[in-house]
Amino acid sequence: MNRKIGVLDSGVGGLSVMVGLQELLPNEDIIYFGDSKNCPYGNKGADEIFHLTMEILRFMEQNDVKLVAIACNTISTLIERFKSEFNFPIIDIISPTVEYIEKIKVDNLAIFGTEFTVKSNVYQRLLKDRNNEIRIIPEYSKTLATLVDCGDFNSDLVKDTIKTHMDNIICAGNTKNIVMACTHFPIVQDIFLEVAPELNYIDPGYEQAKAVKDYLHNNGLLNKKEKGTLNIYTSGEIDRYEKVVEKLNLKSLGGIYKIVL
């Protein structure tokens, strides 16, 4: 089944999901769209996020994708509003992460993401449905996703922002586990580890990549070609994506294109 996989995000963040996808599915052709013009989504209202997402999904439909991975926690909180609108499967990033957390039997953890994701309580609700005793520390940033999307990964502002939030989480209680509930955050994983190396960072992007692989395998949709390619489209500036591709060492890049939907 040589149709492409679609991956979308509010900006460069979803490229962190590409690390897992390229590791687990090296034969797949992937189309990525990052809406950096409108990033961050996490500070917007639900209706605006829904409208922007529908435009991207129509772009994916025009490119005849066989599956779309929503590589954005904020958009994934709204999946029930759009998942039945298209004739291809849509895999969110939250559900596979919740299943993973249940599997490893974590009793307490922090959810660190955008304001919209954390305040939506989707992670909290789904985790509590599986383990009512689990202790959850919510923490959100209004600025970190935007700072990462701008591409200045090692700025003092990025480091200070991460340190502030890690201090908040550590002071809030005895937890060693943090869900990186924004795909922009793993791009600066090195800074998180520098600031708080004692914590266990759970990456939803890798859990989503495993879920995509499982779906394709179970439905006979795996690509049989020898080597897959990655083509990136964005409403923003191309140089931001070049920086992230280099930082994450993404492979088989066909091109990066600026387009208007």
Side-chain angles (χ1 to χ4, degrees):
M1 176 57 72
N2 293 332
R3 291 160 62 203
K4 300 176 179 65
I5 296 172
V7 180
L8 65 87
D9 181 48
S10 63
V12 301
L15 290 175
S16 66
V17 178
M18 289 300 311
V19 176
L21 287 172
Q22 289 197 332
E23 175 187 334
L24 298 174
L25 295 165
N27 302 325
E28 297 293 334
D29 293 325
I30 300 175
I31 295 177
Y32 180 95
F33 185 89
D35 192 15
S36 287
K37 177 183 176 182
N38 295 298
C39 185
Y41 279 22
N43 299 341
K44 302 183 186 299
D47 289 343
E48 184 178 4
I49 296 168
F50 173 74
H51 171 74
L52 292 168
T53 302
M54 288 293 288
E55 290 297 313
I56 303 171
L57 287 168
R58 292 187 187 104
F59 168 74
M60 295 295 178
E61 185 176 48
Q62 291 166 5
N63 281 274
D64 192 33
V65 296
K66 59 185 176 184
L67 175 149
V68 166
I70 305 294
C72 174
N73 288 266
T74 297
I75 296 173
S76 290
T77 65
L78 301 174
I79 191 169
E80 296 300 326
R81 293 183 61 173
F82 54 74
K83 71 176 184 179
S84 61
E85 296 293 321
F86 298 88
N87 61 1
F88 46 76
I90 300 175
I91 296 181
D92 73 287
I93 196 169
I94 296 175
S95 300
T97 307
V98 170
E99 292 174 8
Y100 171 74
I101 292 167
E102 181 185 22
K103 186 183 302 182
I104 63 174
K105 301 187 184 306
V106 171
D107 293 323
N108 62 84
L109 78 165
I111 305 292
F112 181 36
T114 65
E115 181 178 18
F116 189 95
T117 297
V118 174
K119 287 187 174 181
S120 74
N121 287 313
V122 171
Y123 269 107
Q124 294 92 315
R125 175 174 52 81
L126 292 175
L127 287 167
K128 287 284 188 179
D129 284 346
R130 289 160 173 77
N131 176 11
N132 192 48
E133 301 300 318
I134 193 170
R135 179 172 177 268
I136 299 171
I137 300 168
E139 179 76 12
Y140 65 80
S141 174
K142 291 185 175 183
T143 60
L144 186 54
T146 303
L147 293 172
V148 174
D149 212 77
C150 289
D152 191 5
F153 309 127
N154 296 308
S155 70
D156 288 339
L157 186 53
V158 168
K159 293 178 181 179
D160 290 345
T161 300
I162 291 173
K163 186 176 188 311
T164 295
H165 289 292
M166 292 302 97
D167 287 346
N168 290 345
I169 290 170
I170 292 168
C171 290
N174 181 27
T175 185
K176 293 294 184 183
N177 301 287
I178 297 182
V179 179
M180 304 282 269
C182 173
T183 52
H184 282 72
F185 297 174
I187 293 173
V188 287
Q189 177 84 10
D190 52 334
I191 299 177
F192 279 90
L193 291 171
E194 177 184 324
V195 169
E198 73 276 16
L199 299 177
N200 175 43
Y201 298 96
I202 297 172
D203 180 7
Y206 194 74
E207 301 312 312
Q208 183 181 38
K210 290 193 292 186
V212 170
K213 180 180 180 179
D214 288 345
Y215 185 93
L216 295 178
H217 176 267
N218 293 338
N219 290 274
L221 295 175
L222 288 171
N223 200 330
K224 302 300 184 183
K225 68 182 297 185
E226 184 175 336
K227 185 179 181 183
T229 60
L230 168 63
N231 283 283
I232 298 172
Y233 298 85
T234 180
S235 59
E237 299 306 315
I238 288 175
D239 64 326
R240 298 182 183 184
Y241 290 80
E242 292 173 336
K243 290 179 181 178
V244 178
V245 167
E246 181 179 3
K247 184 172 178 60
L248 297 178
N249 194 29
L250 297 179
K251 303 172 178 62
S252 304
L253 182 64
I256 304 176
Y257 311 96
K258 184 173 181 178
I259 63 171
V260 178
L261 297 184

